[in-house]
Amino acid sequence: MLGNASGEEDVPQSSNEIWLSNKSLKGFNIGGYSQFAPAEVGQAAKEALRLLASGEIRAEVLGVFPLEKASEAHELLEEKNTVGKLLLKVGE
């Protein structure tokens, strides 16, 4: 299980199946965690941006939209079937 950004219905999961097969589930919510550990989340975000800037990691970019077409980008997000980041280009 991973996120629900697509807005799909929740998938029922039997707790007995998990328990009897010796599996486990864990969850993480960056928004919730940042309320309790803002310094750690901030540092992690800075490191992630550094890695992106250096090219050590990359992010999938679905599209780059001029600011004038922000509504089109927003429509794609509302459709909930995007993969990757949508970027708004400000200025030249």
Side-chain angles (χ1 to χ4, degrees):
M1 290 184 230
L2 178 65
N4 65 342
S6 69
E8 294 292 321
E9 291 293 320
D10 195 9
V11 178
Q13 179 64 51
S14 166
S15 58
N16 278 341
E17 180 184 333
I18 295 167
W19 174 51
L20 294 172
S21 62
N22 293 313
K23 295 179 181 175
S24 63
L25 288 175
K26 295 184 181 190
F28 179 76
N29 178 302
I30 191 81
Y33 184 61
S34 67
Q35 292 178 6
F36 298 101
E40 289 86 349
V41 172
Q43 186 58 39
K46 287 178 186 176
E47 177 63 10
L49 290 173
R50 184 194 69 75
L51 291 169
L52 279 168
S54 71
E56 293 177 60
I57 62 173
R58 65 184 192 86
E60 292 292 325
V61 176
L62 177 67
V64 179
F65 293 79
L67 189 57
E68 301 80 36
K69 295 192 176 190
S71 62
E72 291 178 27
H74 200 272
E75 286 176 20
L76 287 173
L77 291 173
E78 288 178 351
E79 291 171 2
K80 297 183 177 182
N81 59 8
T82 60
V83 176
K85 304 299 178 193
L86 295 179
L87 305 176
L88 293 178
K89 184 175 181 179
V90 180
E92 299 284 329

